């Protein structure tokens, strides 16, 4: 997926004028690209539109005008874009009861290592590859960035309308498997450069 450049952004004053409609469009898009995996984990699959929105929002909130600092934001967020033949997602561990945050987060230790998070199309699995640096020996982050590099067989199975798709987490504390709706598989296929029959 082509990296975003300064030309893909707009001046803050212009963004403020169109922000409500732009934000509404992204919220609608993210509904198709967000999936709850059980009641504590959410995956949001990123693309150029979702990343562009995040950069524009960061520039707006932080009031960033320096071109060098905008370049830094572009570099940070472009790293979240899927490369060719990949899917890329933000994995959020969502714990709502503040008194249980540390205990429950600690229970997720290891979710970012090995074959723990997978996408499935028919009988074909692809395991997530986590960005390092989001957990330590005694501490785990609530936000992770994960890439999936599916083989051709997975993509071909996904493109068949009758093939069921799932997201699965195989973790001792949190084993869960959920079906993926057609709207999301269509987004995956678009990210992978395949037309969706769904």
């Amino acid at each position: 997926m082509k990296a975003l450049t300064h030309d893909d952004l707009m001046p803050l004053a212009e963004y403020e004028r169109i922000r409500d409609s732009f934000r509404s469009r992204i919220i609608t898009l993210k509904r198709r690209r967000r999936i709850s995996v059980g009641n504590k984990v959410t995956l949001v699959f990123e693309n150029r539109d979702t990343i562009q929105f995040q950069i524009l929002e960061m520039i707006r909130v932080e009031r960033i005008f320096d071109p060098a600092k905008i370049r830094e934001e572009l570099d940070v967020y472009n790293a979240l874009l899927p490369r060719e033949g990949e899917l890329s997602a933000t994995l959020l561990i969502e714990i709502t009861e503040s008194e249980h945050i540390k205990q429950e987060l600690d229970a997720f230790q290891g979710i970012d290592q090995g074959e723990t998070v997978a996408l499935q199309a028919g009988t074909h699995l692809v395991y997530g590859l986590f960005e390092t640096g989001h957990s330590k020996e005694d501490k785990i982050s609530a936000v992770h960035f994960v890439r999936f590099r599916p083989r051709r067989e997975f993509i071909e199975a996904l493109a068949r309308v009758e093939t069921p798709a799932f997201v699965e987490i195989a973790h001792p504390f949190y084993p869960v498997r959920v079906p993926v709706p057609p709207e999301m598989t269509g987004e995956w296929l678009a990210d992978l450069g395949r037309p969706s029959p769904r």
Side-chain angles (χ1 to χ4, degrees):
M1 199 168 282
K2 187 180 173 186
L4 291 155
T5 70
H6 203 286
D7 292 340
D8 294 303
L9 306 178
M10 62 189 84
L12 184 55
E14 181 182 343
Y15 180 58
E16 290 285 10
R17 282 196 300 274
I18 68 154
R19 181 175 178 262
D20 286 348
S21 61
F22 189 90
R23 184 170 174 272
S24 177
R25 182 176 70 83
I26 297 299
I27 288 170
T28 299
L29 173 66
K30 280 195 171 188
R31 279 196 201 106
R32 299 194 304 269
R33 301 183 68 88
R34 174 188 295 267
I35 187 165
S36 295
V37 189
N39 62 355
K40 289 185 173 66
V41 173
T42 297
L43 281 170
V44 181
F45 287 85
E46 308 289 3
N47 70 0
R48 288 184 98 246
D49 290 334
T50 65
I51 296 299
Q52 180 192 34
F53 175 68
Q54 289 184 60
I55 296 170
L56 287 167
E57 284 293 299
M58 184 62 69
I59 289 169
R60 176 180 182 268
V61 169
E62 300 289 334
R63 313 305 287 180
I64 301 171
F65 298 102
D66 180 352
K69 298 224 177 273
I70 292 173
R71 176 74 258 165
E72 288 175 14
E73 295 298 326
L74 283 163
D75 290 344
V76 166
Y77 282 99
N78 273 326
L80 308 183
L81 281 173
R83 302 180 189 106
E84 185 176 350
E86 284 186 346
L87 300 171
S88 176
T90 302
L91 183 148
L92 308 161
I93 301 172
E94 299 175 314
I95 298 161
T96 55
E97 297 172 353
S98 57
E99 65 272 21
H100 297 147
I101 287 176
K102 183 179 183 335
Q103 177 187 349
E104 292 205 31
L105 264 182
D106 285 350
F108 278 95
Q109 283 283 359
I111 195 172
D112 57 342
Q113 297 167 19
E115 295 180 341
T116 52
V117 179
L119 311 182
Q120 181 177 359
T123 59
H124 304 282
L125 288 169
V126 56
Y127 291 99
L129 304 168
F130 282 77
E131 183 180 76
T132 58
H134 291 270
S135 61
K136 298 178 182 175
E137 200 170 294
D138 60 345
K139 187 177 181 183
I140 184 167
S141 172
V143 181
H144 297 267
F145 305 110
V146 57
R147 295 181 184 278
F148 300 90
R149 296 177 181 150
R151 293 176 175 268
R152 178 178 53 83
E153 296 84 359
F154 177 98
I155 299 170
E156 289 176 354
L158 189 67
R160 291 194 289 271
V161 72
E162 70 277 7
T163 304
F166 300 89
V167 176
E168 180 174 11
I169 297 177
H171 184 273
F173 170 69
Y174 195 78
V176 63
R177 183 171 180 261
V178 298
V180 177
E183 296 81 9
M184 177 166 278
T185 57
E187 294 291 326
W188 290 358
L189 287 166
D191 291 353
L192 294 165
R194 290 288 296 263
S196 174
R198 296 168 185 248

